[in-house]
Amino acid sequence: IKAGTTFTLGEIKGPGCIQQIWMTPAGDWRHAILRFYWDDETEPSIEAPVGDFFACGWGKYCQINSLAVCVNPGSAFNCYWPMPFRKKARVTMENLDDKNMTLYYQINYTLTDVPKDAGYFHAQFRRESPLKSKGIYTILDGVKGQGQYVGTYLAWEVHSPGWWGEGEIKFFLDGDKEFPTICGTGTEDYFCGSYNFDTKGPDGKNRYTVFSTPYAGLPQVIPEDKVYEPGQRFGLYRWHIVDPIRFEKDLRVTIQALGWTKTPGGSRYLPLEDDIASVAYWYQKEPHGKFPALPNREQLGFTK
């Protein structure tokens, strides 16, 4: 795919359903933008850098063993989200880089009747660096209609020493204002870990522990041999496959960027100003609300 151009990966007449995608993108994964358009849409329902969409937001290979996404040696991105469409599916890749990129890929689909109540798959990328509002990051808002939220990926770089993941994820459903219907207990808890993802190594020292499971994981810590260091990077995913978050009218999702700081009287919460990028995944009936403008190339950041 030549620098600065968009290539159409597939154009399929429906009704049908994309069942599996395999691809091996080269170059800077943050600067290769994957887009899906359902039926006769002019605005994409999926718009995200290819690395972040496949839960590899830091431009380095990390193995992921999950039901929705598998990343296998050496740079094999696999997606198993079912993606039904009724009239047409169009998939494109835009290369924002200054260099040409090489892409091998395969999109597997079936042509079949689509149930009336089947929602369309959506995915939206966002990034703030540093956070616009200290201590809070918006993963998704502006969603109107009926659907279900099915996944979160975060690429998180901490800018302060100490533990960074005390923040609560909040799902504001169907008219919620100040108080969300669902409120989490901590960042590592939402991603199905506990106690800072810490375990003791053979040397007796605590360290972050990477893991990848069918529904949740911390597959990437850069560097792995440090704990509570500014500049460390984390990749985290959580798939709501058996526990989708259903909404009837609207949806907004936020997460606190909250750590600890020591004071003469003890410890207290510390709102953070970190670098956070995310992909939110959900199904809904069309039409969907217009996505916010994708960050420009500089704002997307670099992953190599």
Side-chain angles (χ1 to χ4, degrees), residues 189-266:
D189 307 335
Y190 171 66
F191 289 99
C192 300
S194 68
Y195 294 109
N196 314 355
F197 303 115
D198 278 0
T199 59
K200 289 189 184 299
D203 57 3
K205 295 181 180 180
N206 280 37
R207 65 198 66 208
Y208 296 116
T209 306
V210 296
F211 67 100
S212 181
T213 73
Y215 301 112
L218 174 74
Q220 205 159 32
V221 178
I222 305 170
E224 285 191 41
D225 61 343
K226 303 291 185 181
V227 179
Y228 303 153
E229 292 286 338
Q232 275 193 285
R233 297 175 171 185
F234 304 86
L236 311 101
Y237 68 87
R238 166 74 185 272
W239 310 139
H240 295 272
I241 293 175
V242 295
D243 58 340
I245 297 170
R246 298 178 177 89
F247 54 94
E248 295 293 329
K249 296 185 297 184
D250 55 68
L251 172 66
R252 177 164 59 98
V253 186
T254 67
I255 192 167
Q256 295 171 309
L258 200 60
W260 287 103
T261 185
K262 293 183 178 180
T263 67

Side-chain angles (χ1 to χ4, degrees), residues 13 15 70 105 122 185 209 240 258:
K13 291 183 178 180
C70 293
Y105 71 96
H122 292 69
T185 57
T209 306
H240 295 272
L258 200 60

Side-chain angles (χ1 to χ4, degrees), residues 74-94:
S75 62
F77 289 179
N78 296 271
C79 167
Y80 294 91
W81 293 112
M83 302 181 189
F85 54 95
R86 290 174 172 84
K87 296 179 182 178
K88 182 181 178 183
R90 181 163 63 95
V91 185
T92 68
M93 180 81 81
E94 182 180 9

Side-chain angles (χ1 to χ4, degrees), residues 33-38 41 43-49 52-54 69 79 81 83 120-126 139-140 143 148-153 239 278-284 286 288-292 294:
I33 309 302
L34 192 60
R35 294 183 176 93
F36 290 66
Y37 302 80
W38 306 127
E41 287 182 322
E43 298 286 338
S45 288
I46 297 171
E47 183 178 53
D52 296 84
F53 181 80
F54 287 91
V69 172
C79 167
W81 293 112
M83 302 181 189
Y120 290 87
F121 188 68
H122 292 69
Q124 183 185 116
F125 172 84
R126 296 185 178 211
I139 295 171
L140 184 65
V143 174
Q148 56 188 38
Y149 187 89
V150 294
T152 307
Y153 171 72
W239 310 139
S278 64
V279 179
Y281 308 78
W282 77 98
Y283 288 88
Q284 74 162 89
E286 292 285 9
H288 67 269
K290 186 178 177 65
F291 287 11
L294 189 76

Side-chain angles (χ1 to χ4, degrees), residues 22 24 61-65 70-78:
W22 165 87
T24 64
Y61 165 78
C62 66
Q63 189 167 6
I64 297 175
N65 303 310
C70 293
V71 179
N72 304 322
S75 62
F77 289 179
N78 296 271

Side-chain angles (χ1 to χ4, degrees), residues 128-176:
E128 294 181 19
S129 176
L131 299 183
K132 298 173 185 176
S133 298
K134 191 174 182 179
I136 188 73
Y137 177 77
T138 297
I139 295 171
L140 184 65
D141 67 1
V143 174
K144 304 295 182 184
Q146 184 185 41
Q148 56 188 38
Y149 187 89
V150 294
T152 307
Y153 171 72
L154 293 182
W156 191 316
E157 180 182 289
V158 297
H159 290 171
S160 302
W163 172 234
W164 48 273
E166 202 62 39
E168 302 165 347
I169 194 162
K170 299 179 180 181
F171 292 90
F172 298 84
L173 311 177
D174 301 334
D176 287 344

